[in-house]
Amino acid sequence: TFLRPQIKITKYLLPATDGDTKTMTFLQEVVDILLAYIVESFDRETKVIDFHYPNELLQMNNWELQDEPATLDDILISCRATLKYAIKTAHPRYFNQLSTGLDMVGLAADWLTSTANTNMFTYEVAPVFVLLEYVTLKKMREIIGWPDGRGDGIFSPGGAISNMYAMLLARFKMFPEVKEKGMSSVPRLVAFTSEHSHFSIKKGAAALGIGTESVICIKADQSGKLIPADLERRILEAKQKGFVPFFVSATAGTTVYGAFDPLIAISDICKKYNIWMHVDGAWGGSLLMSRRHRWKLDGVERANSVTWNPHKMMSVPLQCSALLVREEGLMQNCNQMHACYLFQQDKHYDLSYDTGDKALQCGRHVDIFKLWLMWRAKGTIGFEAQIDKCLELSEYLYNKIKDREGYEMVFDGKPQHTNVCFWYLPPGIRYMEDKEERKKHLHKVAPVIKARMMEYGTTMVSYQPQGDKVNFFRMVISNPAATFEDIDFLIEEIERLGQDL
Amino acid sequence: TFLRPQIKITKYLLPATDGDTKTMTFLQEVVDILLAYIVESFDRETKVIDFHYPNELLQMNNWELQDEPATLDDILISCRATLKYAIKTAHPRYFNQLSTGLDMVGLAADWLTSTANTNMFTYEVAPVFVLLEYVTLKKMREIIGWPDGRGDGIFSPGGAISNMYAMLLARFKMFPEVKEKGMSSVPRLVAFTSEHSHFSIKKGAAALGIGTESVICIKADQSGKLIPADLERRILEAKQKGFVPFFVSATAGTTVYGAFDPLIAISDICKKYNIWMHVDGAWGGSLLMSRRHRWKLDGVERANSVTWNPHKMMSVPLQCSALLVREEGLMQNCNQMHACYLFQQDKHYDLSYDTGDKALQCGRHVDIFKLWLMWRAKGTIGFEAQIDKCLELSEYLYNKIKDREGYEMVFDGKPQHTNVCFWYLPPGIRYMEDKEERKKHLHKVAPVIKARMMEYGTTMVSYQPQGDKVNFFRMVISNPAATFEDIDFLIEEIERLGQDL
């Protein structure tokens, strides 16, 4: 290396005088580490994870912060150690989350974003990124089906915050005085969402002072779709109690089953009772990019707001979540505080591009460039092909296991998203007669297989219970690196690791 | 380049078969663009910004999203164009925001973070980053002065959200039933903060259903510090009205003046009336790292919660904001929703590292590694030296202009932070007798000089009005690249651009 290891690194890097060459050499050394990691991540011979228990990992490296500066060598060692024990989220057999995979153009764009190191609150400090957000949000609204792509929106730090924005807007739309006077000025509000919906709806209600008890959970059918008749019944029931229904959150792609709520029927009910209709498409919204699958979101254009996370099914690097809003100007009115020290009104350019005051955040990370550059590189048809392929893989998995010995599906029928939910029954419990006993055993199977997967580091997939259903695997595919062979591998691995249980 | 420009790029990159070499070549091409940009950014001969009006900029490149994929050439052109029109936030003469500069180790760490592409909600998917967050938060709490660094905390998407967390915790601490039952179950709550505090306190109150009218603004003295006697008076007044004071947000480093509220006096009042004391140290919290300046936050250890943004004064790349909380377990109780599909309770490792359920977010961007690696590289003493230098520069600026002809200081006395607030009076209005006329003219001076700075691209500094004070410059120094010569340049440039006004 270019510096003796014991030399204190930061003194020699820019902005130090004559720091150019040393800086470029240092950054190049880090990039070389990263490039090697990337290539390794895609290699099926590599472990997905080199797992260690927290207490072990704490002792495997010196992670403590010191008063004194470290050497160049120590910094490079820290980078290598951090990657050594990281999850390889790009690995073709990493299926653990709704966000998997690593797109090379997205990564390049994220490196550029870090280098530009600015924030989104005014055109003044992020001219290009502000325009790209404008262009991209408009395109996403066109895809939703709003006329001429009109409306509003924002990229927020994740789907939970996007959903919270939607609830905030719905409340403000109905009772604008809530902004100044708080919840004590409004009647008891109630929100509705399916029992299978994401926990962020309740989390939002708790934060916004609405309260989790005011989120009424609507029954879902066996495949996880909200039952519209139950929604209407519960709305009427709430109204009879004198409560004010203000928000329905339909889910397009539930977290566990990947179910799509029936948006048209829900929108009819929302219209009838004058309730804000939100579609939480954090997971399923990306299917709008697919001509083959977008019918699953029919009716989304009737929504007042839509959450759509390109960091999930479109494999944009984390984080990238959009809230799209049909009504223009509402976000601004709801959230603006007119801080004149941030949003000067006498600047020399068109102030409509200073979008910071419609956000809950002040500084806001630039999440747009990754999505924009990937869209550029793939085109809409490239995203479509990527999404269609993931759905094909999940159909392959479903067909492979639905009648296979030792498997039971958690719900009937072909999954609508890439979620395939199933139990693996090891031979020893396959024919147990006592149903309660069998259930008790089965509950422990997935956690043990998962723990073994992590210890071997061969693959990772999620499991969870749901309602009265004991632990089952939820396989999801959003990883563009996955192939049919990887699906075969997953099944073989589950059987290898679980057959003795 | 390695591919003919017309070749569709994404088909040839990983996970494509044999994509290794092509991927490394592609990423290296992008890195070369970034390295050139970095070196250029630190060059004083380069413009801080190549400014164009929004409509111009929209037409200067093809920013539209297409159905068809782009070529490799187009992707590289897009990267170059994006950087060409970006603000050079690393530039030694970029003073526009509280977050300026670009740290090379921080940048390297951010590139690694992008490459690792994971999220913070469980140990399972971010083992190293979760541990580093644990280690770093503990260190920050030690620096605050809480015994053994005990307590809690989280890295959040910016100071506004950190402040919102604090308000949420304060409300829950006093009325835990608010989580389930909402604001209708609690009496009318009121919060207190100085009239100079950040707008996020009101924004938080609006979002949380408390309402902006329930945020009572306390008078500040001429230098921007909250007046404790006025705080106590307003608390008593609120109590007499039957309201319940639940939250005081003291500011350590106000946005405009850089004032530090008297924390000890405020903590005495909070203790007396049993009110949660929050310290918004988004801007000033980093002075805790400086033995010379940390007295400005004396009493911070008495706070219940502290916001501290390393992305400001410590020059960590955006975003990096911490909320530190004195009481253990409260965040978890306040925010958890027990979503069993995310936070399985039967996993094989110590679940106390699965911190996701204490967050408002579900997925959470990894903001910790930048800070941790920089801390490693500089040591605590390196951060201290960097902070002390910025304060020296601002003292130099203050001394230079306080008696200089054509300048007036906005408040008396030496600034406590790096904020130097001043009017520049062009010769033409320097001796105007009609005070109202003079004020009217003066109000227009800063915006015109600022617009000219941006058009020439030589430097950028912020301005704003405050209360009845017309537009003035707020110079802030957080940029480690700035030198005494850059301060001299700023003054010369203001005079050059403003003398004819």
Side-chain angles (χ1 to χ4, degrees), chain B residues 177-341:
Chain B
E177 64 272 29
V178 75
K179 182 175 174 182
E180 284 83 28
K181 303 201 175 299
M183 288 292 285
S184 55
S185 69
V186 303
R188 166 88 184 267
L189 302 179
V190 281
F192 303 84
T193 192
S194 131
E195 55 182 335
H196 280 240
S197 72
H198 191 259
F199 74 103
S200 57
I201 304 300
K202 284 201 172 179
K203 217 163 217 185
L208 304 190
I210 291 162
T212 55
E213 286 178 5
S214 295
V215 177
I216 296 175
C217 283
I218 306 302
K219 277 192 198 130
D221 67 19
Q222 70 86 27
S223 68
K225 291 172 188 293
L226 178 145
I227 300 171
D230 194 53
L231 173 62
E232 184 159 19
R233 188 178 69 77
R234 300 300 297 271
I235 289 172
L236 289 170
E237 198 178 278
K239 286 168 83 81
Q240 268 162 6
K241 286 185 189 156
F243 304 159
V244 177
F246 80 109
F247 185 73
V248 170
S249 179
T251 312
T254 59
T255 311
V256 181
Y257 285 16
F260 288 79
D261 288 344
L263 301 185
I264 292 175
I266 292 170
S267 76
D268 287 341
I269 295 170
C270 287
K271 196 173 171 195
K272 183 168 169 190
Y273 298 101
N274 193 28
I275 305 173
W276 182 284
M277 176 181 173
H278 174 63
V279 174
D280 176 4
W283 172 224
S286 300
L287 268 56
L288 289 167
M289 306 286 280
S290 162
R291 281 165 288 190
R292 198 181 306 161
H293 297 286
R294 71 164 286 149
W295 62 270
K296 294 167 186 175
L297 290 102
D298 277 353
V300 68
E301 72 286 355
R302 302 193 192 176
N304 298 93
S305 56
V306 178
T307 293
W308 173 354
N309 288 9
H311 72 216
K312 294 194 164 82
M313 198 62 193
M314 287 159 77
S315 221
V316 177
L318 285 157
Q319 61 195 24
C320 189
S321 169
L323 177 75
L324 293 314
V325 183
R326 197 169 59 191
E327 183 175 331
E328 287 175 75
L330 191 66
M331 288 196 84
Q332 188 76 15
N333 290 335
C334 177
N335 294 324
Q336 72 186 348
M337 290 292 149
H338 302 289
C340 59
Y341 55 89

Side-chain angles (χ1 to χ4, degrees), chain A residues 52 62 64 123-124 157 171 180 183 199 203 207 209 213 335 341-342 344 346 359 376 450 463 471, chain B residues 52 62 64 123-124 171 180 183 199 203 207 209 213 335 341-342 344 346 359 361 376 450 463 471:
Chain A
H52 297 276
N62 172 15
E64 290 302 314
Y123 178 81
E124 181 175 324
R171 179 174 74 180
E180 284 83 28
M183 288 292 285
F199 74 102
K203 216 162 218 185
E213 286 178 5
N335 294 325
Y341 55 88
L342 284 174
Q344 302 86 356
D346 46 10
R376 196 86 169 172
K450 171 69 177 277
Y463 74 85
N471 279 321
Chain B
H52 298 276
N62 173 15
E64 289 301 315
Y123 178 80
E124 180 175 326
R171 179 174 72 180
E180 284 83 28
M183 288 292 285
F199 74 103
K203 217 163 217 185
E213 286 178 5
N335 294 324
Y341 55 89
L342 284 174
Q344 302 86 355
D346 46 11
Q361 298 174 269
R376 196 87 169 169
K450 171 69 178 276
Y463 73 85
N471 279 321

